Amino acid sequence: MKKQFIKIVLSCAVIAGGCTVTSCSKKSSSSKNVSRATGWKINAKEGGFQYNTDFKEQETAPGLVFVEGGTFTKGKVQDDVMHDWNNSATSQHVQSFYMDETEVTNVMYLEYLDYLKSVYPPENPKYANIYKGALPDTLVWRNRLGFNETMTNNYLRHPAYAEYPVVGVNWIQATQFAEWRTDRVNEVMLEREGYLAKDAKYQAATGEVAGTFSTEAYLNRPESVYNGQIDSLQGKMKKDSVNTYAKRSSGIIMPEYRLPTETEWEYAAQAQVGSREYNNYRGRKKYPWDGDYTRNGQRVGRGDQLANFKQGKGDYGGIAGWSDDGADITAQVMSYKPNDLGLYDMAGNVAEWVADVYRPIVDDEISDFNYYRGNIYMKTAIGEDGKVNILRDSVVYDTLPNGKVVAVNLPGEIKMVPVDEEETYLRTNFSASDNRGYRDGEPSSSRFFDRFSDEEDSENTKKMYDSPNHKVERDSLGNLIRQYDHSNNRTTLINDEVRVYKGGSWKDRAYWLDPAQRRYLPQYMATDYIGFRCAMSRVGSKSKTKNKTVRGKKAK
């Protein structure tokens, strides 16, 4: 009797409180500002856990087009008349990502050069090689038996070529441009959301404020940004002299711009979203557009070429006045129709660098999801004070095999070091920092791995990819000492420093317009027919949330 009385009293107390246990839990879980883990308030004025609960989806960053991921057949299924067979057909799945609408143009790259020149004046001996190392190689236009000096002197800087794709840029320079672009876009995002003062970015660019902005430095040690002057450059989010910084959890910081992987590039070039034909899905789509021909078959513009490429011996643009591709060298971006994803010049105009290290075989046995060869896992260096190590005034340079000096790290950036046993111990998904040669190029992937020795050119050393080993060093006076590998025993040019480039160019025949075609070049070399475009990973949902359904119900 006593127990029953206690139960009645408790139930009445709950009812008097205005809700049952079940209804209270429903109310808590239905509010996005109440934790479903603890029932505590999120973003409460009283303090506690702060989080961006209003985040909708990733914003499309400047210059990019959304590419919804999916499955496709990567590689060639048609007969290969060149018998390369270095991209045999494999089934792959690609996560959603973003890609530049066009190739990076001369004017876009000149903006980068102008920024470097302002922030790191080349007349300062400490910064001399930063600007110089980023300059495109304009001498790529020269031909021993051709008169191309006009392009050598004008192509990069003349306004007539402003919206033409930049060339003469090697793979390393392209990746550094992408890193610079990431920081500049995130400065805009932080200013827009009130974390940076209006026009703070211009003060750094013009030298009014010492130092510059680095996204990773801001996220790890925000007080170090702008050479420690971030306090005076904060925006309206700063309250009562208290520094307020955006975090990754704020949802404001954009993922990094980067080169697309080879798989992403090929998937985007195929643009299967516009056609669900079985043959296209199985990899039989020959060009970025539908059909088996390079000429326009529609009533308007019938006969015009659909891309800028070399049509035959000595024929780079057709007869004067004749309906053709309209260009002799590169063409202005957006001169031809985009593919079904809205991407321009995914065939022709210039070939494009992608992120991957080249190997003649795509190893889909180990990965058929976001396939990419080139991973080098790094981590932030921690100083003696236990904080992330920021490179204050030092610049880290690297001398490339061709003697060109490029900046690896700029002042204000975070120092990165390879991962070590702390990260790799007893892991099953990776065991080393450098994975470029995994299963194809590292010692254990060679049938002669037991003959490897510490002496690189030993007669007993048998390597899968024994490419020439050219060396370049600088003496105490700064003079280059070049050591050319004259060995006659080398059997390949493939190593961990050769990168894939995709797509045909103004200099290529129609054969190379097929998205499945792939070629390679050392990452420190540049040509007059290779450019690049940037990509960005998609975080969150696979597709845009607009009109998205969840289990048959329209998303809120």
Side-chain angles (χ1 to χ4, degrees):
M1 188 71 180
K2 188 175 182 180
K3 291 181 178 179
Q4 291 179 350
F5 177 76
I6 293 171
K7 288 181 179 179
I8 292 171
V9 172
L10 286 172
S11 62
C12 289
V14 171
I15 293 171
C19 61
T20 64
V21 173
T22 304
S23 65
C24 284
S25 63
K26 283 184 177 179
K27 185 177 180 181
S28 299
S29 62
S30 64
S31 174
K32 64 181 180 180
N33 286 317
V34 175
S35 168
R36 290 192 292 114
T38 63
W40 286 36
K41 290 181 180 179
I42 300 175
N43 303 323
K45 294 180 180 178
E46 298 80 9
F49 182 55
Q50 303 293 310
Y51 201 77
N52 182 5
T53 57
D54 293 325
F55 183 79
K56 297 296 187 297
E57 67 173 20
Q58 180 177 343
E59 181 178 344
T60 302
L64 302 180
V65 171
F66 175 69
V67 180
E68 183 176 342
T71 184
F72 81 115
T73 299
K74 171 182 166 66
K76 289 179 65 68
V77 296
Q78 302 97 340
D79 286 338
D80 190 345
V81 297
M82 300 292 287
H83 300 289
D84 279 341
W85 293 117
N86 64 353
N87 198 11
S88 55
T90 62
S91 294
Q92 296 284 336
H93 190 95
V94 183
Q95 271 190 299
S96 297
F97 62 101
Y98 298 83
M99 182 176 275
D100 266 336
E101 186 178 26
T102 71
E103 304 101 334
V104 171
T105 62
N106 284 320
V107 71
M108 292 167 68
Y109 201 86
L110 285 173
E111 184 182 4
Y112 167 53
L113 293 176
D114 183 68
Y115 182 92
L116 293 181
K117 196 171 186 177
S118 299
V119 178
Y120 308 107
E123 57 269 16
N124 184 335
K126 183 170 62 174
Y127 300 146
N129 286 311
I130 294 179
Y131 177 74
K132 186 177 179 181
L135 285 171
D137 182 5
T138 59
L139 300 184
V140 294
W141 288 106
R142 284 183 171 167
N143 184 326
R144 295 182 184 87
L145 296 177
F147 180 71
N148 297 330
E149 287 304 289
T150 301
M151 277 83 79
T152 300
N153 297 325
N154 292 282
Y155 184 81
L156 175 63
R157 300 184 183 277
H158 197 284
Y161 293 117
E163 294 297 335
Y164 283 55
V166 67
V167 296
V169 175
N170 61 42
W171 183 92
I172 296 172
Q173 291 172 318
T175 58
Q176 291 177 336
F177 171 87
E179 293 170 3
W180 168 84
R181 188 176 176 185
T182 301
D183 295 335
R184 304 293 73 77
V185 168
N186 279 325
E187 277 184 298
V188 173
M189 298 299 175
L190 291 171
E191 179 186 309
R192 188 186 69 185
E193 299 300 322
Y195 289 92
L196 286 178
K198 185 179 180 181
D199 296 336
K201 58 185 181 297
Y202 296 116
Q203 295 180 49
T206 57
E208 295 177 41
V209 174
T212 185
F213 175 90
S214 165
T215 301
E216 290 302 317
Y218 180 86
L219 289 170
N220 287 273
R221 286 188 64 181
E223 72 280 0
S224 70
V225 177
Y226 296 120
N227 203 26
Q229 300 176 72
I230 182 67
D231 185 40
S232 61
L233 294 174
Q234 284 199 277
K236 61 185 179 181
M237 292 295 289
K238 183 177 180 179
K239 303 288 178 65
D240 301 324
S241 300
V242 177
N243 293 328
T244 303
Y245 304 115
K247 303 178 178 62
R248 209 178 291 277
S249 58
S250 303
I252 298 168
I253 304 295
M254 303 295 291
E256 70 276 5
Y257 283 86
R258 54 176 175 80
L259 290 181
T261 66
E262 180 181 2
T263 307
E264 287 174 335
W265 194 98
E266 191 169 325
Y267 176 80
Q270 286 191 16
Q272 294 172 358
V273 66
S275 176
R276 295 298 181 185
E277 293 182 14
Y278 176 78
N279 281 343
N280 292 347
Y281 173 74
R282 300 304 300 167
R284 291 180 173 86
K285 191 173 181 182
K286 190 173 183 180
Y287 300 114
W289 52 84
D290 288 331
D292 296 327
Y293 304 99
T294 63
R295 291 189 181 275
N296 187 356
Q298 298 177 354
R299 184 172 183 178
V300 178
R302 185 184 299 275
D304 287 349
Q305 293 289 3
L306 296 172
N308 177 20
F309 64 99
K310 182 179 179 180
Q311 294 155 49
K313 180 70 173 177
D315 185 357
Y316 291 85
I319 301 171
W322 191 263
S323 178
D324 223 309
D325 72 10
D328 40 23
I329 54 168
T330 56
Q332 182 171 318
V333 296
M334 298 188 180
S335 295
Y336 309 91
K337 291 182 179 180
N339 67 8
D340 290 328
L341 288 170
L343 301 171
Y344 292 86
D345 293 324
M346 295 301 287
N349 215 16
V350 290
E352 298 176 19
W353 288 113
V354 296
D356 293 57
V357 168
Y358 178 84
R359 289 292 188 271
I361 296 175
V362 175
D363 188 357
D364 68 326
E365 291 182 6
I366 196 67
S367 178
D368 58 2
F369 181 78
N370 283 351
Y371 185 89
Y372 166 64
R373 179 178 291 279
N375 282 312
I376 302 179
Y377 299 124
M378 307 288 284
K379 64 179 181 178
T380 55
I382 305 298
E384 296 179 357
D385 57 357
K387 296 182 178 181
V388 172
N389 195 342
I390 303 293
L391 296 170
R392 282 289 187 185
D393 298 316
S394 58
V395 183
V396 180
Y397 291 107
D398 185 23
T399 303
L400 305 180
N402 60 356
K404 193 177 185 73
V405 179
V406 295
V408 178
N409 279 107
L410 299 176
E413 293 183 345
I414 288 180
K415 183 179 180 181
M416 305 295 291
V417 294
V419 298
D420 53 27
E421 194 172 327
E422 288 187 15
E423 288 77 24
T424 62
Y425 182 64
L426 291 183
R427 282 193 177 272
T428 57
N429 55 333
F430 70 96
S431 58
S433 170
D434 190 345
N435 296 274
R436 291 175 295 179
Y438 179 64
R439 286 169 59 96
D440 193 1
E442 61 186 8
S444 60
S445 62
S446 170
R447 61 180 294 202
F448 300 109
F449 71 93
D450 56 330
R451 301 186 191 179
F452 273 69
S453 69
D454 294 333
E455 192 174 340
E456 187 167 356
D457 288 322
S458 169
E459 293 182 1
N460 295 324
T461 300
K462 300 292 183 181
K463 294 184 178 181
M464 180 177 289
Y465 297 110
D466 58 342
S467 59
N469 184 27
H470 310 306
K471 294 182 180 179
V472 60
E473 298 174 345
R474 287 186 179 273
D475 60 19
S476 58
L477 299 177
N479 299 315
L480 284 176
I481 303 175
R482 295 183 175 89
Q483 301 178 38
Y484 190 83
D485 187 347
H486 294 281
S487 173
N488 293 322
N489 298 323
R490 303 302 187 188
T491 60
T492 181
L493 294 175
I494 299 173
N495 57 31
D496 289 342
E497 278 71 47
V498 296
R499 301 285 174 167
V500 179
Y501 67 94
K502 301 279 284 183
S505 75
W506 65 274
K507 240 178 178 179
D508 294 312
R509 300 288 186 96
Y511 170 80
W512 296 106
L513 301 184
D514 185 342
Q517 295 294 354
R518 59 201 300 258
R519 290 172 282 181
Y520 66 91
L521 194 71
Q523 63 186 24
Y524 57 85
M525 288 187 176
T527 72
D528 60 352
Y529 59 88
I530 299 180
F532 70 101
R533 73 180 75 208
C534 297
M536 179 183 288
S537 298
R538 163 84 172 177
V539 295
S541 61
K542 177 176 181 285
S543 60
K544 296 271 190 176
T545 54
K546 184 179 180 181
N547 297 326
K548 187 181 74 172
T549 58
V550 180
R551 295 183 180 179
K553 296 181 180 180
K554 193 171 182 179
K556 295 181 180 179

